[in-house]
Amino acid sequence: MLDLASLTELLSQPRKIVITTHHKPDGDAMGSSLGMYNYLIQQGHHAKVIAPTDYPEFLNWMPGNGEVIIFTENPDLSAKLIADAEIIFCLDFNALSRINDMGPLVGESNAYKVMIDHHLEPEDFDDYRHWDINACAAAQLVYTFIADQLQHAELINKDVATCLYTGIMTDSASFRLPNTTSTVHRITAHLIDAGANNSRIHELIYSSSSENRLRFLGHCLANCLEILPEYNTAIMAISKTDIAKFDVNTGDTEGIVNYALSIATVHLAAFIVERNDKVKLSLRSKNEFPANEICKKYFQGGGHRNAAGGQSDESMEATVAKFKSILPEYKTLLLQ
């Protein structure tokens, strides 16, 4: 493992650096990655962000987005950059399976791997780790890495601040989750002082839906929402037919599960969507209910206590039935 002094020495001169994050990146994944990118280029590093897959259009405005390489669209260039890299920053993930086909390439690379993450149970593929499960976002940890560990708070300029604010805002559900501590607010205050336009960022993220996305949301709420009052649980099951009918694109399903969780009596909400190859699950919960335990134990996934995801190789109907069959095990917790 590298210590901080050794990593600081490595970064003291220009390096070939790759920054990557988990597949289907969200606001924290891209905010962290582009925040790190905008910091590193100020130091003269040859940095490239490689996303394993595409990501929502509502994130395309962030500074540096035009330089992002999408692995699935340009695998040969991506593989070369990974092979040539001296340092690879692994942001907002802690298992190589989370970057899909990039996993073996990163694992086999001779580059030093730097993990900056806030998820449970990290794999041991990294050489340096800045990891805290209590952090509200990976972007918060990128901030503390730059400002506190590397002592470069002065290099958090408008572009860095804008990206990191986006990551913190989105992963904290607009500063609503319990891990949005006073420290988080002090960090975001600094980011605003550094140039992040908080009201504009909120508008770009949350007020840029397509008409199709809004109609799809209406369909989910009107036709797909099932309440199980005996378990304080809500389910929205979305078929492939629904996805095709509303021309659902990457990012269009993001956050819909939270509408179900907003019901006062609902303690656990599940958004279950049928894809071409698998059925995907997104779980959200309130208070101490362990949504991540259900995903890890039954659906090949995991995540945070109140926000987790998984998948199923069974049919949509079988997956929904399996999810319902699990609820009696957690009835006591759900009814608290």
Side-chain angles (χ1 to χ4, degrees), residues 220-221 224-226 234-238 256-257 259-260 270-273:
C220 291
L221 297 175
C224 304
L225 179 62
E226 179 182 4
I235 301 171
M236 281 190 275
I238 314 301
I256 293 179
V257 65
Y259 286 91
F271 187 83
I272 304 174
V273 58

Side-chain angles (χ1 to χ4, degrees), residues 112-319:
Y112 292 103
K113 287 94 174 177
V114 177
M115 178 198 296
I116 301 179
D117 184 58
H118 63 143
H119 294 91
L120 294 166
E121 300 176 355
E123 289 181 355
D124 291 326
F125 67 85
D126 52 318
D127 300 292
Y128 183 86
R129 182 177 300 176
H130 185 42
W131 174 67
D132 183 358
I133 61 171
N134 296 311
C136 76
Q140 176 186 346
L141 294 175
V142 171
Y143 174 92
T144 56
F145 176 73
I146 296 171
D148 300 336
Q149 294 201 337
L150 299 182
Q151 296 289 298
H152 281 163
E154 75 282 0
L155 295 181
I156 298 178
N157 60 15
K158 180 178 181 179
D159 287 348
V160 175
T162 295
C163 297
L164 296 184
Y165 186 96
T166 301
I168 293 172
M169 181 191 74
T170 52
D171 235 34
S172 66
S174 294
F175 311 103
R176 288 185 292 140
L177 298 181
N179 54 9
T180 309
T181 61
S182 59
T183 297
V184 173
H185 285 293
R186 283 190 285 271
I187 289 171
T188 54
H190 178 208
L191 296 176
I192 292 170
D193 290 342
N197 186 335
N198 54 311
S199 60
R200 179 60 176 158
I201 293 170
H202 195 282
E203 179 183 347
L204 288 165
I205 294 293
Y206 296 117
S207 300
S208 58
S209 291
S210 65
E211 179 183 342
N212 276 356
R213 199 263 180 183
L214 203 60
R215 293 189 183 279
F216 174 63
L217 170 61
H219 169 73
C220 291
L221 297 175
N223 303 313
C224 304
L225 179 62
E226 179 182 4
I227 307 297
L228 304 175
E230 67 273 29
Y231 298 112
N232 286 342
T233 294
I235 301 171
M236 281 190 275
I238 314 301
S239 69
K240 284 193 291 188
T241 303
D242 294 329
I243 296 294
K245 177 181 177 181
F246 291 94
D247 191 25
V248 173
N249 294 309
T250 297
D252 284 349
T253 62
E254 192 166 319
I256 293 179
V257 65
N258 294 317
Y259 286 91
L261 193 65
S262 70
I263 299 170
T265 56
V266 169
H267 294 172
L268 174 65
F271 187 83
I272 304 174
V273 58
E274 185 180 27
R275 299 292 186 181
N276 288 329
D277 54 341
K278 293 182 184 295
V279 175
K280 301 286 188 177
L281 298 92
S282 179
L283 303 191
R284 297 293 183 271
S285 67
K286 293 175 181 173
N287 303 319
E288 300 299 315
F289 188 84
N292 57 340
E293 182 180 309
I294 290 178
C295 288
K296 181 180 179 181
K297 192 173 178 181
Y298 295 103
F299 295 108
Q300 310 167 43
H304 304 292
R305 181 183 62 205
N306 298 122
Q311 62 185 19
S312 170
D313 297 319
E314 299 182 86
S315 69
M316 167 67 86
E317 293 76 14
T319 301

